[in-house]
Each structure stands twice: as structure tokens, then as C-alpha cells.
Amino acid sequence: MTDPTTSPALTHSAYEISTDPGRLDRARIHHWLSTDAYWALGRPRDTQDRAIDGSLNFAAYHRETGEIAAYARVVTDHATFAWLCDVYVDRPARGTGLGTALVTAVRDHMEPYGLRRILLATDDAHGVYEKVGFESLRNPDKWMALGRH
């Protein structure tokens, strides 16, 4: 199995998708999420940095400028379960298929692990996730959560 920190970069049109944590623009990711993502508004930088450090991170970089254009992270045990979260596409890159490419890269990267389930939550991007195979929970009444809602 490929080490997720050294896996080859994935590509899509004008963007390269990579799991290399050394390439992440942490300040920009924090800005995006804490100011423009409904699920993370006001998230402190130290919290975001800890989340990055404890996750498998995916980012899309513009091929010409090298600038980060999208981000997603996966919390996983690499054996049975993963949680896809903090999926964000910079506003100028929206509508280009980059979000779908990023989620496809996550799905394809996780495939060799044989996970039983990858979960996510979204208020408004169901169509993006459905394109790559995600579907609504069949029995949502079986699921429970502990924490702030």
C-alpha cells in the first residue's frame, strides 16, 4: 500500500491534486474555512493546524502558479472508516469541476484500504458527492452524534 504522504500527485485539467503535507498553505486554508465555510466559521488557527496534523490532507494547486485552489481532509484509521471533511474550493475555481475532481481523488486514494465506509456531512453540495458515488444514509435513524450541533 502506498504511503499517503508520498503518493504521486493526481491531476485534473489546470490543477494538480496532492497529499503532500509540506505543500499546504495553512494560513490560506485557515482563512478560507474560518471566514467562508459555514461549518468552520470562526475556527481558531491552532485548532485548524491540529486538525491538519491529525488528518490525511488533499489540496489542489494551479499548475501555472502553484497556488492552492482547493482543500479537503480525511480523518481515518486506514482500515475500516474515514470521515471526509473541510472540503473547500476557492471561489474563483468554483464551477470548473475542481470540487468533483478533488472528491474523486479522495475516493480513489482511499480505495486500496478497503474501508467499510467513508462519511461526510453537507448542507448544500449533495450533487458534487453523488457524482462520485456518495449517497444519503439508508438508515439515518441508526446514527448518533455526541458533541455540539
Side-chain angles (χ1 to χ4, degrees), residues 9 18 31 45 51 74 85 92 109 112 138:
S18 173
H31 176 75
R45 172 69 190 265
V74 177
C85 54
H109 185 92
R138 290 190 183 116

Side-chain angles (χ1 to χ4, degrees), residues 63-80:
R63 288 184 165 291
E64 292 181 15
T65 67
E67 198 170 325
I68 191 170
Y71 173 76
R73 69 185 181 91
V74 177
V75 181
T76 185
D77 61 8
H78 291 97
T80 63

Side-chain angles (χ1 to χ4, degrees), residues 127-144:
V128 170
Y129 300 108
E130 288 169 348
K131 287 178 190 174
V132 297
F134 283 86
E135 55 188 37
S136 296
L137 292 173
R138 290 190 183 116
N139 299 302
D141 54 319
K142 289 184 177 183
W143 295 87
M144 299 180 74

Side-chain angles (χ1 to χ4, degrees), residues 1-12:
M1 197 159 310
T2 305
D3 177 356
T5 62
T6 60
S7 64
L10 304 161
T11 59
H12 174 268

